[in-house]
Amino acid sequence: MGGRSSVSEIPLTTFIPPPASLGVINSNQLPFEVQRTYWLVSREGAFSRGFHAHRSLQQVMFCLNGSATLSVHSRDRMETFELVEGGAGIHLRGGLWREVLFYQPGTVLLVFASEETDENDYIRDFSQFMAWSEHG
């Protein structure tokens, strides 16, 4: 499956003077005005979250601790990205199916969203997502 990537990377500026590190994300680095911010914390071993798409909501995900794998599906492409502590954030535009696999306890993902929660924006069934993306 060729073509252009469905996502883009957002750099994270990190300063690592002892005894702590400082990560900086300026609002002008994000491709939208943030309406909601939330985080996910892995408290157990390996597990997955997501398994949905958003019709229009955009997100940028950063890993603040640990690591996770992000799988992104568009109508004609599937891509996998490693989210690692201090690494670039991933910008997900609307119209993409996403799944996140956490590997270890203590992994923390920080997510910036372009809209507040709206249940009507979610597509929670993959076959419905594929049908919607064919006609969307």
Side-chain angles (χ1 to χ4, degrees):
M1 292 185 217
R4 201 173 119 236
S5 178
S6 302
V7 304
S8 58
E9 289 189 354
I10 307 291
L12 174 66
T13 303
T14 306
F15 304 96
I16 312 178
S21 63
L22 170 67
V24 178
I25 305 157
N26 293 305
S27 62
N28 65 355
Q29 290 178 267
L30 299 175
F32 52 81
E33 184 177 330
V34 175
Q35 297 297 314
R36 181 169 51 113
T37 302
Y38 63 94
W39 52 93
L40 302 163
V41 180
S42 168
R43 300 200 182 278
E44 301 176 4
F47 75 97
S48 298
R49 285 206 40 112
F51 300 98
H52 64 270
H54 290 282
R55 289 175 168 79
S56 61
L57 178 131
Q58 299 178 61
Q59 295 174 315
V60 174
M61 294 184 179
F62 288 94
C63 183
L64 301 182
N65 191 59
S67 64
T69 300
L70 171 65
S71 296
V72 179
H73 299 262
S74 63
R75 178 174 46 87
D76 58 355
R77 183 183 186 109
M78 194 279 283
E79 297 177 272
T80 302
F81 303 90
E82 294 302 316
L83 297 168
V84 296
E85 181 178 344
I90 301 295
H91 171 221
L92 299 164
R93 61 176 171 74
L96 297 173
W97 184 268
R98 74 273 331 266
E99 301 171 12
V100 181
L101 174 60
F102 292 82
Y103 297 106
Q104 62 204 33
T107 296
V108 179
L109 298 185
L110 177 66
V111 183
F112 297 104
S114 64
E115 301 173 30
E116 294 182 5
T117 303
D118 177 2
E119 189 59 36
N120 294 321
D121 188 59
Y122 284 81
I123 303 172
R124 298 187 184 274
D125 178 90
F126 189 75
S127 60
Q128 289 176 1
F129 163 72
M130 292 304 288
W132 174 84
S133 65
E134 288 288 328
H135 305 293

